[in-house]
Amino acid sequence: MEKLAVIVPCYNEEAVITESYRRTKAALSKVEYVTEIIYINDGSRDKTREMLNKIAAQDPSVKVIHFSRNFGHQPAVTAGVNNCDADCAIIIDADMQDPPELIPELVKTMVDQQANVVYCVRKSREGESSFKRFTARMFYRTINRMAEVSFPLDTGDFRLIDRAVMNEFNKLKERGKYIRGLISWLGFKQVPFYYHREARIAGETKYPFSKMLKFASNAIFYFSKKPLKLAITLGFLAFLVGIILGVWSTLGKMFGFSNATSGWTSILITIIFFGGVQLLTVGVLGQYIGILFDEVKERPEYIIESKKNFD
Ligand code: UDP
Ligand code: MG
């Protein structure tokens, strides 16, 4: 029989682990696969570690990976895929915002449509602030405009992927992984599955604004070279403005209609404007250099401290 794995990244999720395990197990009992759950404890500082170890001690179909510290959501999912030997896998959050009850339908969709990827599109989002919903909406539309490939809108990492996709994913060497984008980029047959994203069952979001910002900028800088083109556009614009100002002040001096000598306001504005343009473009360059710096170091994306039930 084929094997289905469920990959669940967990960071300080003591409030949801028990319920998450119960509901996922119940959903898995409805599919005709050998099943397993792979929990990745992303350096939690609460009871997540003990709770996962306890579940793994009682249930041999539960595998646990403990990171040596908090590496982040994307490295945690990556570790899950890297350590998965199943024929297909579902990536799902621990907080039940993506209901595990949908698992049988996802599997059915994959089989019926002979798809390699079934990605879950959020028709609605419950229990999230209007700020989160607004920024998420803007983010998916911006990245789509900027990236060289097109991504499905309002789609997170919640999805079903098969062995072929996992094998290709495991070959990707970049460290700053924007997983939902990379899986789209891989190609194969990908089909959507529409669902309502629910509210977190307990606990708080583990994605504060700073992590959201890092996530979004990673996605943009890894998938788009458009910010670099911004430098050329701004440079060209500045060049045009310079020529117009030059002609205007020369003619103004000759025919006496400009305030070229008395106008310190115009000088001040020009200096601030071009200073700003230069800093902005140097900043954009800096982002890419920073990424190159991180990538050439070739540090691993995550460090595994220990594993349970992996033999
Ligand atoms: N997560 C993680 N490491 C982190 C942050 C989050 O493994 O550094 C996990 C978290 O436990 C959850 C999933 O990633 O299972 C999504 O996080 P969360 O629900 O807090 O994000 P939100 O849904 O609010 O965007
Ligand atoms: Mg969540």
Side-chain angles (χ1 to χ4, degrees):
M1 208 173 2
E2 297 213 325
K3 187 155 125 188
L4 168 72
V6 180
I7 296 169
V8 195
C10 308
Y11 177 52
N12 293 344
E13 297 288 11
E14 62 180 8
V16 304
I17 293 287
T18 314
E19 183 65 2
S20 161
Y21 168 67
R22 190 190 63 75
R23 279 175 58 181
T24 310
K25 265 310 240 199
L28 288 179
S29 70
K30 301 202 175 88
V31 296
E32 281 166 20
Y33 281 79
V34 177
T35 60
E36 67 178 21
I37 310 177
I38 305 174
Y39 287 107
I40 301 92
N41 167 24
D42 183 13
S44 302
R45 278 181 292 247
D46 63 357
K47 298 232 164 54
T48 300
R49 182 192 181 87
E50 291 73 27
M51 292 172 84
L52 290 177
N53 283 345
K54 209 173 132 199
I55 295 172
Q58 288 162 0
D59 182 348
S61 75
V62 169
K63 296 179 171 177
V64 182
I65 297 172
H66 294 292
F67 278 1
S68 63
R69 63 169 171 85
N70 179 240
F71 280 91
H73 175 218
Q74 301 289 292
V77 173
T78 304
V81 177
N82 291 164
N83 287 279
C84 173
D85 62 2
D87 301 289
C88 47
I90 285 170
I91 302 168
I92 194 167
D93 286 352
D95 61 0
M96 305 284 97
Q97 283 197 275
D98 310 322
E101 289 73 23
L102 299 176
I103 291 174
E105 288 174 62
L106 287 179
V107 173
K108 191 173 175 301
T109 308
M110 180 182 73
V111 175
D112 287 354
Q113 305 200 32
Q114 299 200 323
N116 300 90
V117 176
V118 181
Y119 57 89
C120 302
V121 186
R122 299 154 180 177
K123 273 197 289 193
S124 66
R125 305 172 70 119
E126 274 323 303
E128 286 175 319
S129 65
S130 42
F131 176 73
K132 172 104 183 183
R133 287 207 302 264
F134 175 72
T135 47
R137 222 187 122 74
M138 292 306 290
F139 167 71
Y140 288 117
R141 278 145 191 86
T142 311
I143 181 87
N144 234 332
R145 278 169 167 263
M146 298 186 81
E148 278 115 43
V149 272
S150 74
F151 304 127
L153 293 172
D154 304 317
T155 303
D157 288 328
F158 180 32
R159 61 187 62 217
L160 174 59
I161 54 180
D162 75 355
R163 190 70 251 163
V165 170
M166 283 191 269
N167 287 345
E168 294 307 321
F169 182 85
N170 288 340
K171 289 183 201 158
L172 299 171
K173 291 210 181 75
E174 67 201 78
R175 266 144 279 268
K177 286 199 173 71
Y178 173 57
I179 295 172
R180 55 202 73 169
L182 284 169
I183 294 179
S184 284
W185 177 87
L186 282 176
F188 295 99
K189 182 164 184 195
Q190 312 213 1
V191 300
F193 178 92
Y194 295 89
Y195 79 112
H196 295 283
R197 185 158 160 94
E198 290 177 7
R200 213 175 218 285
I201 52 164
E204 307 229 304
T205 173
K206 305 300 175 304
Y207 257 102
F209 187 62
S210 57
K211 272 190 185 170
M212 266 160 60
L213 214 60
K214 189 168 172 241
F215 177 83
S217 73
N218 241 6
I220 290 170
F221 288 113
Y222 270 82
F223 270 94
S224 174
K225 289 192 279 289
K226 286 218 174 115
L228 283 172
K229 291 185 188 136
L230 181 82
I232 300 177
T233 315
L234 284 176
F236 188 68
L237 229 79
F239 181 68
L240 268 182
V241 172
I243 287 183
I244 293 167
L245 276 176
V247 171
W248 180 74
S249 55
T250 313
L251 292 180
K253 254 214 147 5
M254 283 165 69
F255 300 107
F257 63 78
S258 89
N259 60 347
T261 40
S262 63
W264 70 273
T265 317
S266 56
I267 294 180
L268 198 70
I269 291 171
T270 320
I271 290 175
I272 293 173
F273 177 74
F274 290 112
V277 166
Q278 280 166 13
L279 285 178
L280 187 78
T281 50
V282 169
V284 168
L285 276 176
Q287 287 293 326
Y288 286 95
I289 293 172
I291 286 173
L292 288 174
F293 179 59
D294 280 343
E295 292 289 331
V296 294
K297 284 183 285 192
E298 296 199 19
R299 283 185 195 156
E301 285 168 83
Y302 53 82
I303 308 267
I304 294 177
E305 181 234 286
S306 62
K307 290 181 181 179
K308 291 264 175 314
N309 290 348
F310 268 93
D311 27 71

